Amino acid sequence: GVSYDSLISGAGRAIRQGWVSQSAYTFIFVGSMLICIGIVVCAAGSCVSLGNLKMKNLSNIISLAGSAFEGAGLISVTYISFIRL
């Protein structure tokens, strides 16, 4: 999900025949990138949690933001899977 070209490379015929729209692949790509960004942000939040109480509180906020990114990505991919296709 990190390379748009590799995502659509095997689906050329499906796009040409109109079975799947180009926007569906764009939503899948954006959703997977949001999930990847959320994973990185959550990993950064877990690294910050090793400090004192102030850093642990900051870690909670960072982890919440990462979870929001992951949730948005999952909603995007789910929207494509169940509604658009």
Side-chain angles (χ1 to χ4, degrees), residues 29-85:
F29 176 69
V30 169
S32 63
M33 287 305 298
L34 284 173
I35 292 170
C36 291
I37 290 169
I39 289 170
V40 170
V41 171
C42 283
S46 66
C47 291
V48 172
S49 71
L50 299 174
N52 55 12
L53 185 61
K54 181 180 176 182
M55 295 304 280
K56 288 180 182 180
N57 289 336
L58 179 64
S59 169
N60 289 336
I61 295 170
I62 292 172
S63 296
L64 181 65
S67 298
F69 275 111
E70 289 180 33
L74 288 172
I75 288 171
S76 173
V77 171
T78 305
Y79 171 74
I80 288 301
S81 299
F82 291 114
I83 297 173
R84 296 283 304 246
L85 292 180

